[in-house]
Structure formats: C-alpha cells, structure tokens
Amino acid sequence: MAIRRDRVRFNVGGKLFETTATTLANAGRDSMLGALLDDNWDPVRSPAGDDHHFIDRNPDCFSVLLDLLRTGELHVSPTIPERLLYREAAFYGLLDHVRAAKFGPFDGNRLRLAASVSGRAPGDGTAVRASPDGGCCVAHGSMVHVYDWTLEERPPISLDYQRVNDAGYVSPDRIVITARERLGSRDGGMGLFSASDGRPRHKFEVAHEGETKSFTAGALGFGARRIFASCKGRCNEYGVGVWDQVTGRQSDFFYESANCSLGDADRLQWLGARECLMVSTLFPKTDNCFIGLLDFRAKGVVWSWCDAGALDEKRVLDAVAMEDESSVCVVNQFDDLGFLDLRSGGGGGVRWSSRSRLMKGRMPDELCYPKLRVCGGQLYSSMNDSISVFSGHEWVLTSRLRRSYGGSICDFSIGGDRLFVLHSEENVFDVWETPPLRMV
C-alpha cells in the first residue's frame, strides 16, 4: 500500500476512494475502518500487498459513510434506500455514528415527526415501549411486535393467547413481558425474551412459603439491577415481586397490606435517590387511587396518598414521580394536572392546575386515558390525540405534538432519544426525533 503521509486508498465495489488516517480514526477502534490503523494510529498494509484495501460492498453507501466521518454530517441521496445505508453502516461498525448524525439529544420542544409505522392488529394495541438503543416493541393482545432502531420488524413474540399486561427492556436485546395467568394452567406471570429472535430465555418465578406459585404479573419497573412487577396469585401472593436482573432469581416480595393496594398496581417507578419504588394503583382498576413509596431499607411504605373520601369527582388516571421537584404529578379524566408533595409525610392534598382549557380543535371519536412521562427535566402528557410538553419549575406548556391522523393516543414511551406514540386507530405508532441543531 502506497502511503503518502497518512493517506489511505480503498477500492469499494470497483470504485476508488482516498482518505486520511485522521478521518479513519473518527470511526473508532471498534469499527472495521478503525481496525485498519495500528497502535500509533498509522495505516496498516493491505493483506494482499496492494496499494489499496479492497472491500466488496456498495460504493455509494461507502461514499456517504466516509463523508460522515469527515464532516460529522449525514447527507443521503434520495436514490439510496435508508435500510441499505443502515445495513452497510452495520457492516463497517458505524451505526452509532449514523444515529448520532441522524438525530440530536432529546428535547421535547424540538421534536419532529420522523416516521409512522402501521400496526398488525387494528384496535388491539395496548402498549408501546422504547428500547435503550432507539427501537421499540408494541403489545397487541397476546403478541409483542419488536422493531429495531431502523424500524425494521424483528420476529414477533407470541404468548399463545395469553394477554400481555406490560413489557419493558432490560437491555437492547432482552425484553421482559408480563402476562395474565390462564386458568387451568401454570402459564402466565413473567418471561424474558430475546428481542432479536423472539425466543423465550427465562421464566420468572414467585415462591411463597418455599413453594413456587402461579401468578398474574402486571406493571413493570426497573432500577438498581432489579426488576419489579405487581403480582396477583391465588393464595397470598398479592404484592410487588422483586427479581435480580442478571440471575433472574426472586430476591424479595412486598406483600399487600390492608391499607395499600400493590397487586393491582398500574405503574411502578424506581426512585434511585430515595431508594424507593413508587407504586400507583389507579382508576378504573380500583375505585380509589393509591400512590405509595416502598422503602427497601425500611421494608415498608414510607409515604402514601389515597383519594378515598375525596369530595370532588376528579379521578386520577396516571402518575409519575419527579425526584428533582420532590413531587408526584397526576392527571385526571379532564386532562388536569395535579401535584403531590413528597416532602409531606402524610401525602397531603393535590394541587390541581387546570389544563382543560388548553385543549382546542375537534375531539377524537374514541377517547383514551391520558398518560404521563418525564424525561430530561420535561413533563409529557398525552391528551386525547396530542402530546403536551411542559417545561420549567412551574411546568409551563411549551410545545404540543400532534399529527393529522391516527386517532387518540393509547400509550407513549421515551427512550433511545426518541418518542414513540401509539394511536388507537389501526395501531399506527409515530416516531418523533430531535433533529441536529444545524437542521433546525
């Protein structure tokens, strides 16, 4: 290989390219192109002894990827299919570079609709969950459809007609799914599945008094290397189960007491700074809403709030904790936001902030319960067919995300610097991304 200073030549699919070792170094040591540099970051010789490296791949895609390494910007010709580029980027070990150039750090006020994907089971979508690497999974009855970050569908996960209650990612390639127990069998509970091929990898068990029990698992939560799930059994297994994320073994179980509802919990959220798990049991699953904090050091509920005896008719439908604000945000059937103070030992009352007047335009024919999420210091609330973004200490409405079709929002999820929104009509889900600053 002829070397002039740090120049490197390639023959890719019959087309010649010339670049520098400095450009190749931008690919990183873990990439195929970075491996063409020695420990001193100098070019190595071609194994064939030629003055160039021959790579039998698509030259048009190589040109785009080489330009990405030079400039940090992604410019793709309309003649190059996106998935072809992603496939070639995966071959060279440059997928992370493509993702970084394709969308910037997550910011709800700068999100743009990037794609829409039609579902496989119209009218049956129940949940969407983002994966850590920007993909997602969508639950449809007893099926979970899995998509990688390029939105290419992987083999689906089938639970053999058992209803899926919740799903979540332990890692980009491992999905935990909870399901309803089927009468007359020991099916149900929780399982770990491969996101790449849909195959089962592990079944989580609940033991009560030394005996393994059959159970229904509901809401999932993750944190501190543990997996949490609300559980309902046939005997005394009502509460929140805890499993080790690495071994899959049950490590703890919080049994439901008379003054709190754990087995029917709709939402579990780990609060790392407090080493507590927020458990929310919400309407319409139960008549009275219960929100509590389970302290793993005290082995009990250290903070709780319940709307039993409340004089108003506002039903709490979802809740999310905001540790930085030491508060819990709730939303009712009127799309009003309310706030509970975590510093109040007895929970205190709800400080409601009316948002109903913010809803304008035609109301969807099919209404869905609102959902709440928090990410990067911003609060997100689904309101019928749109997502509202609230920012700042006073949670001021700063942005609304809405598309022209799809109907009411069943669920939404944030992860991998993307927002996934599942609509009720035809189960279409939207993918929202934050474009790089130079594109805004």
Side-chain angles (χ1 to χ4, degrees):
M1 178 176 64
I3 301 177
R4 297 180 180 177
R5 298 181 181 176
D6 68 342
R7 293 184 186 177
V8 187
R9 300 184 70 190
F10 293 93
N11 180 340
V12 181
K15 186 174 181 179
L16 294 177
F17 295 87
E18 187 169 344
T19 186
T20 65
T22 302
T23 297
L24 295 185
N26 291 333
R29 284 294 189 193
D30 295 334
S31 69
M32 174 186 171
L33 298 180
L36 299 179
L37 305 176
D38 62 21
D39 292 340
N40 296 319
W41 298 96
D42 293 324
V44 299
R45 285 187 173 275
S46 165
D50 300 325
D51 66 344
H52 60 264
H53 291 273
F54 176 73
I55 305 175
D56 190 17
R57 303 294 294 193
N58 185 290
D60 295 333
C61 290
F62 184 82
S63 177
V64 172
L65 296 172
L66 189 60
D67 185 64
L68 171 62
L69 295 177
R70 288 170 176 150
T71 66
E73 298 181 0
L74 186 65
H75 301 286
V76 186
S77 167
T79 61
I80 300 178
E82 273 196 343
R83 290 186 179 176
L84 173 62
L85 179 67
Y86 297 154
R87 186 191 69 189
E88 295 298 289
F91 173 81
Y92 294 108
L94 298 177
L95 270 179
D96 286 344
H97 290 71
V98 173
R99 290 181 70 244
K102 193 172 184 296
F103 46 85
F106 191 82
D107 181 355
N109 293 322
R110 298 176 50 241
L111 288 172
R112 300 291 184 270
L113 182 63
S116 293
V117 180
S118 297
R120 295 294 186 86
D124 195 29
T126 56
V128 61
R129 297 290 180 264
S131 72
D133 64 351
C136 75
C137 66
V138 182
H140 300 266
S142 62
M143 300 285 292
V144 177
H145 294 274
V146 183
Y147 301 83
D148 64 20
W149 82 270
T150 69
L151 303 183
E152 184 171 355
E153 187 171 4
R154 295 175 173 178
I157 300 170
S158 174
L159 297 193
D160 191 22
Y161 303 105
Q162 295 168 249
R163 177 185 170 185
V164 174
N165 287 328
D166 200 358
Y169 284 83
V170 179
S171 68
D173 196 51
R174 296 188 300 160
I175 300 175
V176 173
I177 297 175
T178 64
R180 176 181 293 177
E181 178 189 14
R182 188 163 53 188
L183 295 178
S185 72
R186 297 183 64 86
D187 295 335
M190 290 171 52
L192 179 70
F193 296 81
S194 168
S196 59
D197 59 24
R199 295 179 180 177
R201 292 289 183 259
H202 179 75
K203 184 175 176 60
F204 297 87
E205 296 182 339
V206 165
H208 179 68
E209 296 181 349
E211 183 180 351
T212 300
K213 300 289 186 176
S214 179
F215 68 102
T216 288
L220 280 166
F222 302 88
R225 292 185 57 186
R226 287 172 284 196
I227 302 172
F228 311 95
S230 56
C231 300
K232 295 174 62 177
R234 300 179 187 178
C235 298
N236 296 317
E237 314 84 55
Y238 280 73
V240 174
V242 187
W243 293 265
D244 186 278
Q245 287 190 12
V246 178
T247 65
R249 295 177 181 175
Q250 180 185 340
S251 59
D252 211 338
F253 198 97
F254 285 85
Y255 291 95
E256 185 173 299
S257 60
N259 61 344
C260 61
S261 180
L262 305 181
D264 283 316
D266 301 90
R267 171 73 75 89
L268 302 180
Q269 181 183 351
W270 175 253
L271 309 183
R274 296 172 178 266
E275 292 190 37
C276 291
L277 181 73
M278 188 185 80
V279 180
S280 304
T281 307
L282 309 163
F283 183 85
K285 186 173 287 187
T286 57
D287 291 335
N288 296 319
C289 170
F290 168 82
I291 302 175
L293 296 186
L294 295 179
D295 192 315
F296 277 62
R297 296 159 297 185
K299 294 293 182 180
V301 178
V302 296
W303 179 97
S304 65
W305 174 85
C306 181
D307 63 0
L311 298 178
D312 58 42
E313 296 182 355
K314 295 179 179 179
R315 299 288 190 176
V316 172
L317 303 178
D318 202 9
V320 64
M322 299 174 291
E323 283 196 273
D324 293 342
E325 303 293 328
S326 295
S327 64
V328 174
C329 179
V330 297
V331 63
N332 64 16
Q333 73 270 35
F334 305 113
D335 294 325
D336 298 326
L337 299 182
F339 297 89
L340 294 162
D341 193 342
L342 286 175
R343 294 165 295 189
S344 173
V350 183
R351 177 174 58 86
W352 290 104
S353 177
S354 177
R355 303 292 177 185
S356 303
R357 64 180 182 276
L358 299 175
M359 297 303 301
K360 298 179 180 179
R362 185 183 69 85
M363 297 292 286
D365 295 330
E366 182 181 354
L367 301 181
C368 293
Y369 291 133
K371 301 290 179 66
L372 295 171
R373 301 289 184 268
V374 64
C375 181
Q378 293 177 316
L379 176 65
Y380 298 78
S381 174
S382 62
M383 295 182 175
N384 296 316
D385 62 347
S386 65
I387 300 284
S388 294
V389 184
F390 302 92
S391 308
H393 183 70
E394 297 298 325
W395 301 115
V396 176
L397 177 66
T398 54
S399 181
R400 289 186 67 206
L401 311 176
R402 190 177 184 182
R403 52 166 297 155
S404 59
Y405 73 96
S408 298
I409 295 172
C410 301
D411 194 21
F412 71 99
S413 181
I414 301 171
D417 288 334
R418 278 173 162 173
L419 170 70
F420 296 90
V421 181
L422 177 63
H423 294 266
S424 61
E425 296 179 10
E426 300 180 4
N427 290 159
V428 60
F429 73 86
D430 296 328
V431 184
W432 296 76
E433 300 172 355
T434 305
L437 286 171
R438 61 182 175 275
M439 295 178 60
V440 177

